[in-house]
PDB file of all heavy atoms in Angstrom:
ATOM      1  N   GLU B   8      38.728 -14.612  29.627  1.00 95.00           N
ATOM      2  CA  GLU B   8      39.606 -13.462  29.454  1.00 95.00           C
ATOM      3  C   GLU B   8      40.019 -13.298  27.988  1.00 95.00           C
ATOM      4  O   GLU B   8      40.493 -14.246  27.368  1.00 95.00           O
ATOM      5  CB  GLU B   8      40.899 -13.680  30.288  1.00 95.00           C
ATOM      6  CG  GLU B   8      40.613 -13.896  31.760  1.00 95.00           C
ATOM      7  CD  GLU B   8      41.726 -14.716  32.425  1.00 95.00           C
ATOM      8  OE1 GLU B   8      42.178 -15.756  31.851  1.00 95.00           O
ATOM      9  OE2 GLU B   8      42.153 -14.346  33.527  1.00 95.00           O
ATOM     10  N   ASP B   9      39.789 -12.092  27.470  1.00 93.00           N
ATOM     11  CA  ASP B   9      40.249 -11.829  26.099  1.00 93.00           C
ATOM     12  C   ASP B   9      41.771 -11.733  26.061  1.00 93.00           C
ATOM     13  O   ASP B   9      42.380 -12.118  25.060  1.00 93.00           O
ATOM     14  CB  ASP B   9      39.645 -10.507  25.590  1.00 93.00           C
ATOM     15  CG  ASP B   9      38.172 -10.613  25.335  1.00 93.00           C
ATOM     16  OD1 ASP B   9      37.687 -11.769  25.150  1.00 93.00           O
ATOM     17  OD2 ASP B   9      37.484  -9.583  25.289  1.00 93.00           O
ATOM     18  N   GLN B  10      42.353 -11.203  27.138  1.00 96.00           N
ATOM     19  CA  GLN B  10      43.790 -10.985  27.136  1.00 96.00           C
ATOM     20  C   GLN B  10      44.310 -11.199  28.543  1.00 96.00           C
ATOM     21  O   GLN B  10      43.677 -10.838  29.539  1.00 96.00           O
ATOM     22  CB  GLN B  10      44.119  -9.580  26.646  1.00 96.00           C
ATOM     23  CG  GLN B  10      45.599  -9.306  26.544  1.00 96.00           C
ATOM     24  CD  GLN B  10      45.922  -8.067  25.711  1.00 96.00           C
ATOM     25  OE1 GLN B  10      45.447  -7.943  24.592  1.00 96.00           O
ATOM     26  NE2 GLN B  10      46.687  -7.158  26.280  1.00 96.00           N
ATOM     27  N   VAL B  11      45.525 -11.753  28.608  1.00 97.00           N
ATOM     28  CA  VAL B  11      46.228 -11.936  29.882  1.00 97.00           C
ATOM     29  C   VAL B  11      47.606 -11.305  29.718  1.00 97.00           C
ATOM     30  O   VAL B  11      48.325 -11.588  28.739  1.00 97.00           O
ATOM     31  CB  VAL B  11      46.359 -13.416  30.230  1.00 97.00           C
ATOM     32  CG1 VAL B  11      47.321 -13.611  31.395  1.00 97.00           C
ATOM     33  CG2 VAL B  11      45.008 -14.016  30.555  1.00 97.00           C
ATOM     34  N   ASN B  12      47.961 -10.442  30.629  1.00 97.00           N
ATOM     35  CA  ASN B  12      49.265  -9.789  30.616  1.00 97.00           C
ATOM     36  C   ASN B  12      50.075 -10.316  31.778  1.00 97.00           C
ATOM     37  O   ASN B  12      49.597 -10.363  32.915  1.00 97.00           O
ATOM     38  CB  ASN B  12      49.120  -8.283  30.733  1.00 97.00           C
ATOM     39  CG  ASN B  12      48.363  -7.683  29.568  1.00 97.00           C
ATOM     40  OD1 ASN B  12      48.712  -7.941  28.405  1.00 97.00           O
ATOM     41  ND2 ASN B  12      47.351  -6.908  29.838  1.00 97.00           N
ATOM     42  N   VAL B  13      51.312 -10.659  31.503  1.00 98.00           N
ATOM     43  CA  VAL B  13      52.197 -11.158  32.560  1.00 98.00           C
ATOM     44  C   VAL B  13      53.626 -10.753  32.243  1.00 98.00           C
ATOM     45  O   VAL B  13      53.994 -10.610  31.082  1.00 98.00           O
ATOM     46  CB  VAL B  13      52.045 -12.711  32.717  1.00 98.00           C
ATOM     47  CG1 VAL B  13      52.521 -13.398  31.449  1.00 98.00           C
ATOM     48  CG2 VAL B  13      52.759 -13.211  33.951  1.00 98.00           C
ATOM     49  N   ALA B  14      54.384 -10.525  33.299  1.00 97.00           N
ATOM     50  CA  ALA B  14      55.833 -10.191  33.119  1.00 97.00           C
ATOM     51  C   ALA B  14      56.614 -11.438  32.954  1.00 97.00           C
ATOM     52  O   ALA B  14      56.335 -12.484  33.554  1.00 97.00           O
ATOM     53  CB  ALA B  14      56.300  -9.364  34.297  1.00 97.00           C
ATOM     54  N   GLU B  15      57.683 -11.333  32.148  1.00 97.00           N
ATOM     55  CA  GLU B  15      58.561 -12.490  31.918  1.00 97.00           C
ATOM     56  C   GLU B  15      59.090 -12.986  33.255  1.00 97.00           C
ATOM     57  O   GLU B  15      59.502 -12.217  34.116  1.00 97.00           O
ATOM     58  CB  GLU B  15      59.708 -12.086  30.984  1.00 97.00           C
ATOM     59  CG  GLU B  15      60.563 -13.284  30.560  1.00 97.00           C
ATOM     60  CD  GLU B  15      61.581 -12.890  29.491  1.00 97.00           C
ATOM     61  OE1 GLU B  15      62.079 -11.720  29.543  1.00 97.00           O
ATOM     62  OE2 GLU B  15      61.863 -13.713  28.623  1.00 97.00           O
ATOM     63  N   GLY B  16      59.108 -14.295  33.412  1.00 97.00           N
ATOM     64  CA  GLY B  16      59.580 -14.926  34.627  1.00 97.00           C
ATOM     65  C   GLY B  16      58.491 -15.192  35.664  1.00 97.00           C
ATOM     66  O   GLY B  16      58.702 -16.004  36.573  1.00 97.00           O
ATOM     67  N   ASN B  17      57.359 -14.535  35.480  1.00 97.00           N
ATOM     68  CA  ASN B  17      56.259 -14.790  36.417  1.00 97.00           C
ATOM     69  C   ASN B  17      55.416 -15.953  35.950  1.00 97.00           C
ATOM     70  O   ASN B  17      55.409 -16.293  34.752  1.00 97.00           O
ATOM     71  CB  ASN B  17      55.359 -13.522  36.502  1.00 97.00           C
ATOM     72  CG  ASN B  17      55.972 -12.454  37.359  1.00 97.00           C
ATOM     73  OD1 ASN B  17      57.051 -12.637  37.940  1.00 97.00           O
ATOM     74  ND2 ASN B  17      55.339 -11.297  37.431  1.00 97.00           N
ATOM     75  N   PRO B  18      54.661 -16.564  36.871  1.00 97.00           N
ATOM     76  CA  PRO B  18      53.779 -17.663  36.468  1.00 97.00           C
ATOM     77  C   PRO B  18      52.572 -17.112  35.689  1.00 97.00           C
ATOM     78  O   PRO B  18      52.152 -15.967  35.899  1.00 97.00           O
ATOM     79  CB  PRO B  18      53.333 -18.277  37.798  1.00 97.00           C
ATOM     80  CG  PRO B  18      53.537 -17.206  38.806  1.00 97.00           C
ATOM     81  CD  PRO B  18      54.706 -16.357  38.319  1.00 97.00           C
ATOM     82  N   LEU B  19      52.046 -17.918  34.793  1.00 97.00           N
ATOM     83  CA  LEU B  19      50.900 -17.493  34.011  1.00 97.00           C
ATOM     84  C   LEU B  19      49.796 -18.521  34.121  1.00 97.00           C
ATOM     85  O   LEU B  19      50.015 -19.731  34.280  1.00 97.00           O
ATOM     86  CB  LEU B  19      51.251 -17.243  32.559  1.00 97.00           C
ATOM     87  CG  LEU B  19      51.649 -18.444  31.692  1.00 97.00           C
ATOM     88  CD1 LEU B  19      50.400 -19.064  31.026  1.00 97.00           C
ATOM     89  CD2 LEU B  19      52.627 -18.015  30.599  1.00 97.00           C
ATOM     90  N   THR B  20      48.570 -18.034  34.009  1.00 97.00           N
ATOM     91  CA  THR B  20      47.380 -18.911  33.965  1.00 97.00           C
ATOM     92  C   THR B  20      46.436 -18.372  32.905  1.00 97.00           C
ATOM     93  O   THR B  20      46.122 -17.179  32.903  1.00 97.00           O
ATOM     94  CB  THR B  20      46.639 -18.950  35.325  1.00 97.00           C
ATOM     95  OG1 THR B  20      47.506 -19.487  36.305  1.00 97.00           O
ATOM     96  CG2 THR B  20      45.406 -19.810  35.248  1.00 97.00           C
ATOM     97  N   VAL B  21      45.976 -19.222  32.057  1.00 98.00           N
ATOM     98  CA  VAL B  21      44.947 -18.908  31.054  1.00 98.00           C
ATOM     99  C   VAL B  21      43.748 -19.793  31.358  1.00 98.00           C
ATOM    100  O   VAL B  21      43.861 -21.024  31.369  1.00 98.00           O
ATOM    101  CB  VAL B  21      45.443 -19.095  29.613  1.00 98.00           C
ATOM    102  CG1 VAL B  21      44.376 -18.712  28.595  1.00 98.00           C
ATOM    103  CG2 VAL B  21      46.724 -18.329  29.360  1.00 98.00           C
ATOM    104  N   LYS B  22      42.622 -19.173  31.584  1.00 98.00           N
ATOM    105  CA  LYS B  22      41.474 -19.897  32.093  1.00 98.00           C
ATOM    106  C   LYS B  22      40.599 -20.510  31.015  1.00 98.00           C
ATOM    107  O   LYS B  22      40.431 -19.921  29.911  1.00 98.00           O
ATOM    108  CB  LYS B  22      40.617 -19.003  32.977  1.00 98.00           C
ATOM    109  CG  LYS B  22      41.342 -18.516  34.242  1.00 98.00           C
ATOM    110  CD  LYS B  22      40.452 -17.605  35.069  1.00 98.00           C
ATOM    111  CE  LYS B  22      41.219 -17.142  36.309  1.00 98.00           C
ATOM    112  NZ  LYS B  22      40.421 -16.207  37.104  1.00 98.00           N
ATOM    113  N   CYS B  23      39.972 -21.656  31.349  1.00 97.00           N
ATOM    114  CA  CYS B  23      39.072 -22.320  30.440  1.00 97.00           C
ATOM    115  C   CYS B  23      38.064 -23.132  31.245  1.00 97.00           C
ATOM    116  O   CYS B  23      38.425 -23.847  32.171  1.00 97.00           O
ATOM    117  CB  CYS B  23      39.849 -23.257  29.534  1.00 97.00           C
ATOM    118  SG  CYS B  23      38.787 -24.338  28.483  1.00 97.00           S
ATOM    119  N   THR B  24      36.801 -22.966  30.934  1.00 96.00           N
ATOM    120  CA  THR B  24      35.772 -23.796  31.529  1.00 96.00           C
ATOM    121  C   THR B  24      34.978 -24.473  30.395  1.00 96.00           C
ATOM    122  O   THR B  24      34.874 -23.913  29.305  1.00 96.00           O
ATOM    123  CB  THR B  24      34.811 -23.025  32.437  1.00 96.00           C
ATOM    124  OG1 THR B  24      34.214 -21.965  31.690  1.00 96.00           O
ATOM    125  CG2 THR B  24      35.546 -22.448  33.637  1.00 96.00           C
ATOM    126  N   TYR B  25      34.394 -25.613  30.669  1.00 94.00           N
ATOM    127  CA  TYR B  25      33.739 -26.354  29.618  1.00 94.00           C
ATOM    128  C   TYR B  25      32.376 -26.842  30.055  1.00 94.00           C
ATOM    129  O   TYR B  25      32.027 -26.874  31.232  1.00 94.00           O
ATOM    130  CB  TYR B  25      34.617 -27.563  29.214  1.00 94.00           C
ATOM    131  CG  TYR B  25      34.738 -28.586  30.335  1.00 94.00           C
ATOM    132  CD1 TYR B  25      33.817 -29.625  30.460  1.00 94.00           C
ATOM    133  CD2 TYR B  25      35.767 -28.454  31.244  1.00 94.00           C
ATOM    134  CE1 TYR B  25      33.928 -30.514  31.515  1.00 94.00           C
ATOM    135  CE2 TYR B  25      35.874 -29.360  32.304  1.00 94.00           C
ATOM    136  CZ  TYR B  25      34.970 -30.389  32.440  1.00 94.00           C
ATOM    137  OH  TYR B  25      35.041 -31.261  33.478  1.00 94.00           O
ATOM    138  N   SER B  26      31.616 -27.289  29.056  1.00 90.00           N
ATOM    139  CA  SER B  26      30.313 -27.894  29.318  1.00 90.00           C
ATOM    140  C   SER B  26      30.095 -29.025  28.320  1.00 90.00           C
ATOM    141  O   SER B  26      30.086 -28.784  27.112  1.00 90.00           O
ATOM    142  CB  SER B  26      29.194 -26.863  29.178  1.00 90.00           C
ATOM    143  OG  SER B  26      27.940 -27.450  29.290  1.00 90.00           O
ATOM    144  N   VAL B  27      30.009 -30.267  28.846  1.00 85.00           N
ATOM    145  CA  VAL B  27      29.685 -31.417  28.018  1.00 85.00           C
ATOM    146  C   VAL B  27      28.800 -32.327  28.783  1.00 85.00           C
ATOM    147  O   VAL B  27      28.689 -32.255  30.010  1.00 85.00           O
ATOM    148  CB  VAL B  27      30.948 -32.197  27.568  1.00 85.00           C
ATOM    149  CG1 VAL B  27      31.833 -31.367  26.687  1.00 85.00           C
ATOM    150  CG2 VAL B  27      31.695 -32.725  28.783  1.00 85.00           C
ATOM    151  N   SER B  28      28.149 -33.269  28.090  1.00 81.00           N
ATOM    152  CA  SER B  28      27.198 -34.171  28.756  1.00 81.00           C
ATOM    153  C   SER B  28      27.875 -35.297  29.487  1.00 81.00           C
ATOM    154  O   SER B  28      27.361 -35.854  30.420  1.00 81.00           O
ATOM    155  CB  SER B  28      26.224 -34.732  27.728  1.00 81.00           C
ATOM    156  OG  SER B  28      26.912 -35.394  26.700  1.00 81.00           O
ATOM    157  N   GLY B  29      29.072 -35.681  29.041  1.00 79.00           N
ATOM    158  CA  GLY B  29      29.804 -36.781  29.695  1.00 79.00           C
ATOM    159  C   GLY B  29      31.173 -36.353  30.122  1.00 79.00           C
ATOM    160  O   GLY B  29      31.450 -35.167  30.363  1.00 79.00           O
TER     161      GLY B  29
END
Side-chain angles (χ1 to χ4, degrees):
Chain B
E8 303 153 315
D9 289 339
Q10 184 165 307
V11 169
N12 297 308
V13 64
E15 189 172 34
N17 284 356
L19 68 88
T20 299
V21 182
K22 295 179 181 178
C23 171
T24 58
Y25 66 88
S26 174
V27 295
S28 57

